[in-house]
Amino acid sequence: MHHARHHAHHRAQHHALHHALPTRPAASRRGRLLAAATAALLLPLAACTPSTGTGAAGTRDEGARASTASSDPGPPWSSGIWLGGALSDGDLERFGAWRGDPADVVTTYPAYATWEELRTSDWHVDTFAGFPGRLSYGLPLLPERAPGTLRDVADGAHDDVWRSVARTLVAGDRGDSFVRIGLEANGTWFPWGATAATATDFVAAYRHVATVMAQEAPDLSFVFDISCGAPLRGAEDDRLSALTRLYPGDDVVDVVGCDHYDSFTARATDRAAWEESIRPSTGVGLLDLVDFATEHDKPFAVPEWGLTARSAEGSGDNPYFVEQMFAFFREHRDRLAYENYFDEPNPYLGSSLFLTPAQNPESSEVYRELW
């Protein structure tokens, strides 16, 4: 029953991801945001990030670092946001002013109804032209309509798409983006979601796409990203299989990531539930992710995290969850590349802290105080 509800929830998330970017806006607001960084993040990441032939993870513009590091009041790691369809660097500037610390990373996705739409989608990059941080770019491996197969991708059938995406990022001065190839790899709510039966095809597809994109944009940082708590279908007897069987290889991964929401078996309103949520019986948890990242000498990321409405099998307004996430990031900051809160007022998630603070007022206040 849990798995059925989990699947239904993420099908709604899949729907929202696609429809968050339905049409190009008439014009983008071009706000300017002063990015900040602190030395506490930079040295540990330099030590733990290997040279893989792809972009360096977790670093930002040296000039911005030098001029603002000493005055940055925020946490000593890269921190960002998804702003539920609020799509401009001006919105990011307002978010930074609200929490008292500028965003370092912003979550974005291309439109992907068809292969052609995925190949030509660009305004989701252009709209953040004034933002001096980095993009966390969720890259679908297959479109919604007539998607084909992961094996097709691995065999090079759609290389023009990956070259075009890489060129779009470079043309938009986003050649240093974090690219989440096949985001939430174990998420069967997405067309590319892998199972035990297609695990080798996912690995081959990811590796091929990373290779093609790196040829066009060698400074990209590739993120291998799964869904925390969700099993790899067909291999439920091994709760770590989403990591161990889908991992594409150290040579094509710069950052390992896991998306974590306060929902289903990951709900946490007290210490016992929190401890279970970060090493869950149903799949990979945040502590497993850190262990895996350490074993492979990689930084880790939490590209999406957030509250979940009670109507969507979450805890609703849950400041305890926000406090524990902050404590987790602080404890593991030496290996943390970045974390992005998923601020989504839409009822399928109901996680908003900034766009609609009245949706989760207690959590909103705690987030604002901590960050």
Side-chain angles (χ1 to χ4, degrees):
M1 183 63 178
H2 157 70
H3 296 321
R5 292 198 306 269
H6 189 82
H7 179 76
H9 167 73
H10 281 86
R11 284 298 301 173
Q13 184 172 341
H14 163 89
H15 175 84
L17 186 151
H18 174 63
H19 292 285
L21 308 176
T23 57
R24 174 188 283 271
S28 299
R29 295 187 294 278
R30 303 300 186 196
R32 291 290 172 181
L33 176 65
L34 293 177
T38 65
L41 171 65
L42 305 177
L43 291 177
L45 277 177
C48 74
T49 305
S51 175
T52 64
T54 50
T59 59
R60 297 185 303 181
D61 180 77
E62 295 293 339
R65 279 203 299 269
S67 63
T68 64
S70 62
S71 61
D72 182 8
W77 59 78
S78 288
S79 174
I81 193 83
W82 156 260
L83 287 178
L87 300 170
S88 78
D89 45 25
D91 297 309
L92 286 172
E93 187 173 20
R94 283 184 286 277
F95 166 72
W98 171 78
R99 74 171 185 176
D101 185 52
D104 308 308
V105 188
V106 63
T107 295
T108 190
Y109 312 90
Y112 71 111
T114 64
W115 282 114
E116 181 62 12
E117 187 174 57
L118 179 55
R119 187 182 69 81
T120 59
S121 187
D122 62 358
W123 70 269
H124 59 290
V125 174
D126 296 342
T127 196
F128 296 115
F131 173 56
R134 297 173 73 174
L135 301 186
S136 178
Y137 184 99
L139 179 62
L141 278 177
L142 295 170
E144 288 189 303
R145 301 178 199 156
T149 67
L150 290 169
R151 177 47 56 185
D152 295 337
V153 173
D155 290 342
H158 304 288
D159 284 2
D160 61 319
V161 173
W162 320 122
R163 291 193 183 97
S164 180
V165 170
R167 290 168 182 166
T168 294
L169 289 169
V170 171
D173 196 26
R174 297 298 177 184
D176 66 343
S177 296
F178 294 104
V179 179
R180 301 162 63 198
I181 299 176
L183 64 150
E184 297 191 353
N186 57 330
T188 51
W189 43 88
F190 288 126
W192 60 88
T195 66
T198 59
T200 56
D201 288 346
F202 175 86
V203 168
Y206 179 111
R207 292 184 60 82
H208 185 79
V209 171
T211 300
V212 171
M213 292 186 72
Q215 291 170 352
E216 301 288 339
D219 292 328
L220 294 174
S221 291
F222 296 121
V223 182
F224 166 63
D225 176 50
I226 63 173
S227 178
C228 282
L232 178 65
R233 301 295 183 189
E236 290 90 346
D237 57 333
D238 177 4
R239 70 179 192 85
L240 300 182
S241 56
L243 275 179
T244 59
R245 295 181 64 170
L246 297 182
Y247 186 64
D250 288 347
D251 58 329
V252 290
V253 173
D254 293 295
V255 182
V256 293
C258 197
D259 299 346
H260 183 84
Y261 288 89
D262 183 35
S263 60
F264 301 100
T265 57
R267 291 172 66 167
T269 56
D270 57 38
R271 171 55 58 178
W274 171 255
E275 295 293 342
E276 167 64 20
S277 76
I278 57 178
R279 283 202 197 276
S281 60
T282 55
V284 175
L286 291 176
L287 267 182
D288 300 309
L289 179 72
V290 172
D291 289 347
F292 188 86
T294 302
E295 178 184 346
H296 289 264
D297 198 22
K298 302 288 183 183
F300 79 97
V302 185
E304 299 177 23
W305 69 274
L307 302 170
T308 305
R310 291 182 182 276
S311 60
E313 301 292 343
S315 305
D317 191 1
N318 184 8
Y320 179 82
F321 176 78
V322 176
E323 292 168 352
Q324 292 306 305
M325 291 298 290
F326 183 86
F328 185 87
F329 295 144
R330 182 178 56 196
E331 180 179 357
H332 300 286
R333 62 188 178 274
D334 288 358
R335 195 166 287 276
L336 177 59
Y338 71 99
E339 49 85 10
N340 274 19
Y341 188 81
F342 207 82
D343 193 297
E344 179 54 72
N346 190 298
Y348 86 88
L349 194 61
S351 65
S352 187
L353 301 177
F354 165 67
L355 291 173
T356 311
Q359 192 170 68
N360 298 287
E362 294 185 24
S363 298
S364 178
E365 185 59 30
V366 165
Y367 180 90
R368 194 176 183 185
E369 289 175 359
L370 291 174
W371 269 263

